[in-house]
Amino acid sequence: MAFFDNPAFIISHIQNSFVSGDDTGLCELVIVQDETSRRPVGINKSAWPWLAANAEEDDETELAHSYDITADSLGTRTRPRSDTAFKLDMLKKDKLIKGKVKTIQWKENVEMPSEEDLDALFKKKIVTKRKKDANTSLLTEQLDKFPSMQSNPFSEYAKFNGQTQVGIPTKKINIFLTMLPEGEREFPLSVCVTSNAKVSDLIGLTLWLYSCDNNAAFLSKSLECYTLNIAEDDGEPDRDFPPLDNRETISKFGFGTLALVEKVCPVETSKSLLVVKVAVGEGFSMFQVETLDIKMSQILELVLKRRRGMMNVDGPCYILEKLSEPGVTLDMDSTLESQGTFEFCLHREHRISSHQIEIDPVQQKGTVNKLLAKQKAVTYPMIIIASCDTIDDKTNAGRAMFRLTYKSAQNEFKFVDFESDRLTSRKIVQKVQQILDMRGSAVRTEFQSNKEKTKSKRSSMMFS
């Protein structure tokens, strides 16, 4: 603290060194008034030269204002740290880090330790086996009671259980097991299956879920003995509809209730009771075989011998399919045992499909033109077929003719006429028309439009 007894100098110092004022300007006015009131009378101008020079101006005008107060002038800004302070902080941190590090000087030992020292340093420890705890879990007790428990034959289908899957679309279906006793078949089994599972996988999953909670000794281990059928709400299978195809994906069907039906699977009781059933058209043929090692080609020969009218060297070939898997041709070199079923279906090798029509002409007996060249087999893709209609129905003779119209490579509509018995002709025409209605090809649309134009022209000519 310093003392000064010259108020004029202090006021002048404040006015010239600091800003004495605020937004209202009252502080400056107070200092100015205080200065004029405290100015000494009879002052020696030689001692205060700055007062003498400005005496006349101060009397007439107010004192000049000083500069405004700013944050920099008052020293409110924090002073930046110097490089020396930074270096001192870094030195302190280095000392703290070095204090935590212990330096050990390594010296090579020329003398090797003795065997006694090594044994003392690396002494072998004797490990004693722990005694088993007397308290065992319930799971261990159950496993000890059933050491020879049989494995579930349907365990491979457990991976399609939708309840154990995360992030995969699933589907929930109520399935009635019709082979159960009357007290149990009325209650469906709720099955959650993944959407990518097939119908056969759903059958295996259903049998696995049931066998896990119940005694399933009476269930057959083969999936060929079971089918999934459309069922009513009470679990009664709808016999008007065929079973679901085992090869189809279950997500294709939107049924919430199904019925698991057990088929009659042939059981080999003796070598003379192996009965094979083959469906042929609207009927079927049944015959016995002696062994399961018989080839499917031999079974085909047995069926054709039964149907003597079908035996024709120059005629179409025949194939065998499983009755439960239509559309899949069986290998004629495979054995009956590898098929897993005794029920088959006989079909012609060349037949109508959704992609093409194959025609294999057969030379009829007693024809006059035997010297003429034999007609070649023809295949018509379904995209060039325009129509198939019956043109002559001979009711008395039991025969019928139908016409197959197609578009040739020259963009012309041509036709081929066929004659057969009435039933066969009707089936062919009906099947071809169904395929054409489902496909809706451009050739058929063009043919129908031309047909309508021809009819309209004929009607206009009649009325003109």
Side-chain angles (χ1 to χ4, degrees):
M1 181 179 292
F3 295 95
F4 202 81
D5 57 351
N6 193 344
F9 179 79
I10 292 173
I11 293 172
S12 176
H13 182 68
I14 290 171
Q15 290 178 347
N16 294 304
S17 300
F18 302 96
V19 177
S20 56
D22 56 0
D23 295 338
T24 59
L26 297 177
C27 292
E28 293 185 358
L29 295 177
V30 171
I31 292 176
V32 170
Q33 293 178 359
D34 189 51
E35 179 190 5
T36 53
S37 60
R38 294 185 180 183
R39 182 175 296 179
V41 182
I43 188 171
N44 188 5
K45 296 182 178 181
S46 60
W48 306 89
W50 61 87
L51 291 177
N54 300 329
E56 296 179 358
E57 295 178 3
D58 293 340
D59 294 339
E60 296 177 358
T61 60
E62 296 182 357
L63 296 177
H65 296 283
S66 59
Y67 295 101
D68 294 336
I69 298 174
T70 59
D72 295 339
S73 61
L74 296 178
T76 55
R77 179 185 297 177
T78 57
R79 179 182 176 185
R81 301 186 67 185
S82 61
D83 295 339
T84 306
F86 281 113
K87 290 181 180 180
L88 292 175
D89 291 341
M90 294 297 294
L91 291 174
K92 288 181 181 180
K93 291 181 180 179
D94 292 340
K95 287 182 180 180
L96 293 175
I97 295 172
K98 289 180 180 180
K100 297 179 181 180
V101 178
K102 185 177 181 180
T103 305
I104 298 175
Q105 187 176 2
W106 176 260
K107 295 181 180 180
E108 295 183 358
N109 190 7
V110 180
E111 298 179 358
M112 296 297 296
S114 61
E115 294 181 0
E116 296 179 356
D117 295 337
L118 292 176
D119 294 338
L121 291 173
F122 305 100
K123 188 176 181 179
K124 186 177 180 180
K125 295 183 180 180
I126 300 174
V127 179
T128 58
K129 295 182 179 180
R130 294 183 180 180
K131 296 182 179 180
K132 292 184 178 181
D133 193 1
N135 298 327
T136 57
S137 62
L138 296 177
L139 178 59
T140 305
E141 293 179 358
Q142 292 179 359
L143 292 176
D144 294 338
K145 290 180 181 179
F146 304 97
S148 60
M149 188 175 181
Q150 297 180 356
S151 60
N152 194 325
F154 308 104
S155 57
E156 60 177 316
Y157 300 98
K159 60 184 178 181
F160 298 102
N161 189 5
Q163 295 180 351
T164 60
Q165 303 293 338
V166 179
I168 298 177
T170 58
K171 188 174 184 180
K172 190 175 182 181
I173 304 174
N174 294 327
I175 299 179
F176 290 88
L177 281 70
T178 58
M179 74 288 298
L180 299 182
E182 294 184 0
E184 299 180 11
R185 69 175 64 176
E186 288 80 7
F187 302 97
L189 179 63
S190 181
V191 180
C192 184
V193 63
T194 58
S195 298
N196 60 346
K198 297 183 179 179
V199 176
S200 58
D201 301 330
L202 178 58
I203 295 175
L205 176 63
T206 305
L207 297 174
W208 177 77
L209 291 175
Y210 179 79
S211 58
C212 287
D213 300 333
N214 303 278
N215 184 13
F218 64 94
L219 294 177
S220 178
K221 297 182 180 180
S222 177
L223 297 183
E224 298 290 339
C225 298
Y226 299 95
T227 59
L228 273 179
N229 293 57
I230 304 172
E232 304 292 341
D233 294 337
D234 57 351
E236 184 67 23
D238 195 344
R239 303 293 181 178
D240 296 336
F241 294 94
L244 303 184
D245 191 357
N246 291 345
R247 299 169 298 170
E248 295 292 343
T249 310
I250 195 61
S251 60
K252 180 179 178 180
F253 306 99
F255 307 109
T257 304
L258 296 174
L260 185 64
V261 181
E262 185 176 10
K263 299 189 299 182
V264 178
C265 294
V267 181
E268 184 180 357
T269 57
S270 63
K271 292 185 177 179
S272 60
L273 295 180
L274 296 178
V275 181
V276 178
K277 180 180 179 180
V278 180
V280 182
E282 297 181 355
F284 59 89
S285 296
M286 297 181 65
F287 50 89
Q288 296 179 357
V289 294
E290 297 180 356
T291 176
L292 291 174
D293 296 333
I294 185 173
K295 293 185 178 181
M296 300 305 297
S297 58
Q298 298 176 358
I299 295 178
L300 179 61
E301 292 179 2
L302 293 176
V303 177
L304 295 178
K305 287 181 180 179
R306 289 282 186 91
R307 304 279 177 165
R308 295 181 180 179
M310 302 174 65
M311 291 292 294
N312 195 329
V313 179
D314 296 331
C317 300
Y318 291 88
I319 58 174
L320 285 176
E321 299 176 356
K322 289 183 182 180
L323 197 61
S324 58
E325 297 181 5
V328 180
T329 304
L330 299 180
D331 186 8
M332 294 293 104
D333 295 332
S334 60
T335 60
L336 178 62
E337 185 180 5
S338 62
Q339 305 305 326
T341 181
F342 285 13
E343 297 180 355
F344 303 96
C345 186
L346 182 68
H347 292 289
R348 285 188 178 182
E349 186 177 3
H350 304 293
R351 48 182 175 163
I352 301 172
S353 65
S354 59
H355 301 286
Q356 61 186 11
I357 298 177
E358 297 180 359
I359 301 174
D360 192 358
V362 179
Q363 186 73 24
Q364 301 293 334
K365 296 181 180 180
T367 53
V368 180
N369 51 355
K370 289 183 178 180
L371 299 176
L372 298 178
K374 180 184 176 181
Q375 295 181 355
K376 298 181 180 180
V378 184
T379 301
Y380 296 105
M382 216 64 189
I383 57 176
I384 68 171
I385 302 299
S387 68
C388 184
D389 303 307
T390 302
I391 57 176
D392 188 8
D393 191 355
K394 300 177 182 179
T395 308
N396 298 331
R399 309 287 291 180
M401 293 184 62
F402 63 92
R403 175 170 293 178
L404 184 68
T405 307
Y406 65 96
K407 191 173 185 179
S408 63
Q410 292 79 18
N411 292 329
E412 297 179 356
F413 287 102
K414 297 183 178 181
F415 60 88
V416 183
D417 295 338
F418 300 92
E419 183 180 357
S420 65
D421 58 280
R422 294 182 59 199
L423 182 60
T424 304
S425 177
R426 188 180 302 172
K427 288 183 178 180
I428 294 175
V429 172
Q430 184 179 3
K431 188 169 184 178
V432 174
Q433 287 180 353
Q434 289 178 354
I435 296 174
L436 293 176
D437 293 339
M438 291 175 60
R439 294 180 64 91
S441 62
V443 175
R444 179 172 173 80
T445 305
E446 183 182 355
F447 177 76
Q448 289 179 348
S449 62
N450 293 340
K451 194 174 181 180
E452 293 293 334
K453 290 179 181 179
T454 305
K455 287 183 180 180
S456 61
K457 287 182 180 179
R458 288 179 180 178
S459 59
S460 61
M461 291 174 64
M462 289 175 61
F463 291 103
S464 60

